[in-house]
């Protein structure tokens, strides 16, 4: 499973979020909601929809708690699991990326201030900053240095979303056929 590979590959972020998607035994009974896993919000028990939570403090992405319908078909389950894996991958990537960005930004500011002979805090205790032109140098360098990572992320993102879209089409077709069979059965009676 892709989520298990993310965990083995060293991604330590959002282990609680990923735990329900990784385990081999179902953590949710059909018709119930997956555990909020410490996300800071919990949808009401009677809800029959996916719930989107507040932005994560590391990745800035809004986590989703997926509803598991009582009669979830194997195809619907594959779709839900693909969506969960995509969410876990995105959360992990952006949390790592944002941490690296903040750390490198602080190091850049510190080195530039030190080169100017300034301290991290001015005489009033305020955090010293650089002007927009100096920060533009950092942003340009950071994006250049991480270009390959972003390209790989985009490729993976498109692959995952193509798979999800394909599964959504299959689920919609299966539901339409199920509805037609039901109508045909009831009309014949």
């Amino acid at each position: 499973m892709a989520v298990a590979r993310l965990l083995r590959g060293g991604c330590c972020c959002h282990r609680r979020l990923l735990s329900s998607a990784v385990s081999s035994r179902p953590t949710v009974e059909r018709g119930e909601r997956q555990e909020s896993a410490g996300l800071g919000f919990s949808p009401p028990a009677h809800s029959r929809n996916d719930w989107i939570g507040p932005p994560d403090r590391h990745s800035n992405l809004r986590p989703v708690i997926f509803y598991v319908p009582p009669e979830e078909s194997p195809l619907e389950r594959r779709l839900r699991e693909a969506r969960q894996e995509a969410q876990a991958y995105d959360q992990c990537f952006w949390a790592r990326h944002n941490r690296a960005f903040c750390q490198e930004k602080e190091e850049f500011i510190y080195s530039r201030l030190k080169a100017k002979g300034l301290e991290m805090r001015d005489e009033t205790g305020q955090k010293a900053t650089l002007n927009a032109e100096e920060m533009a140098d950092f942003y340009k360098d950071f994006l250049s240095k991480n270009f390959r990572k972003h390209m790989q992320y985009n490729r993976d993102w498109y692959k995952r979303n193509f798979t999800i879209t394909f599964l959504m089409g299959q689920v919609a077709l299966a539901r339409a056929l199920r509805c037609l069979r039901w109508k045909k059965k009831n009309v014949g009676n």
Side-chain angles (χ1 to χ4, degrees):
M1 185 173 244
V3 177
R5 274 186 267 128
L6 282 175
L7 288 176
R8 283 192 301 262
C11 179
C12 60
C13 55
H14 302 287
R15 288 183 193 267
R16 292 175 306 216
L17 174 68
L18 303 176
S19 65
S20 64
V22 172
S23 69
S24 58
R25 61 177 174 67
T27 57
V28 217
E29 295 297 319
R30 291 180 183 242
E32 293 182 9
R33 179 155 312 283
Q34 89 188 46
E35 193 175 305
S36 63
L39 295 175
F41 75 102
S42 183
H46 67 277
S47 175
R48 302 291 178 247
N49 299 306
D50 296 341
W51 277 67
I52 300 172
D56 179 76
R57 67 186 185 128
H58 299 292
S59 68
N60 291 326
L61 298 177
R62 297 173 63 131
V64 179
I65 295 180
F66 296 93
Y67 171 68
V68 182
E71 293 91 26
E72 183 178 48
S73 71
L75 187 58
E76 291 170 329
R77 181 176 183 197
R78 278 182 51 206
L79 171 61
R80 178 178 49 83
E81 288 173 349
R83 291 176 66 205
Q84 287 172 325
E85 288 176 14
Q87 175 183 320
Y89 177 79
D90 289 345
Q91 289 281 356
C92 189
F93 175 84
W94 287 108
R96 273 192 316 223
H97 180 272
N98 291 346
R99 282 189 187 121
F101 176 82
C102 290
Q103 181 181 356
E104 290 181 33
K105 181 178 167 187
E106 288 298 317
E107 290 169 1
F108 177 81
I109 292 171
Y110 178 75
S111 67
R112 286 287 174 103
L113 290 174
K114 189 175 179 181
K116 291 180 178 182
L118 300 172
E119 295 293 321
M120 285 298 284
R121 302 221 176 248
D122 63 12
E123 55 277 347
T124 63
Q126 293 286 336
K127 196 172 183 180
T129 59
L130 300 175
N131 65 34
E133 291 172 4
E134 290 173 308
M135 289 308 296
D137 292 337
F138 165 73
Y139 298 135
K140 180 180 180 259
D141 291 341
F142 184 81
L143 288 175
S144 297
K145 191 167 62 172
N146 289 287
F147 179 77
R148 291 205 188 281
K149 283 184 196 175
H150 289 146
M151 290 300 291
Q152 184 62 45
Y153 171 78
N154 285 340
R155 272 190 229 105
D156 290 345
W157 187 88
Y158 278 108
K159 286 178 189 175
R160 289 173 191 279
N161 281 288
F162 178 77
T163 301
I164 288 170
T165 303
F166 182 72
L167 287 171
M168 289 174 85
Q170 288 181 315
V171 166
L173 181 62
R175 286 179 181 167
L177 291 174
R178 193 178 325 135
C179 183
L180 287 173
R181 279 190 217 118
W182 183 81
K183 285 183 180 180
K184 190 175 183 180
K185 183 178 128 181
N186 285 344
V187 169
N189 288 335

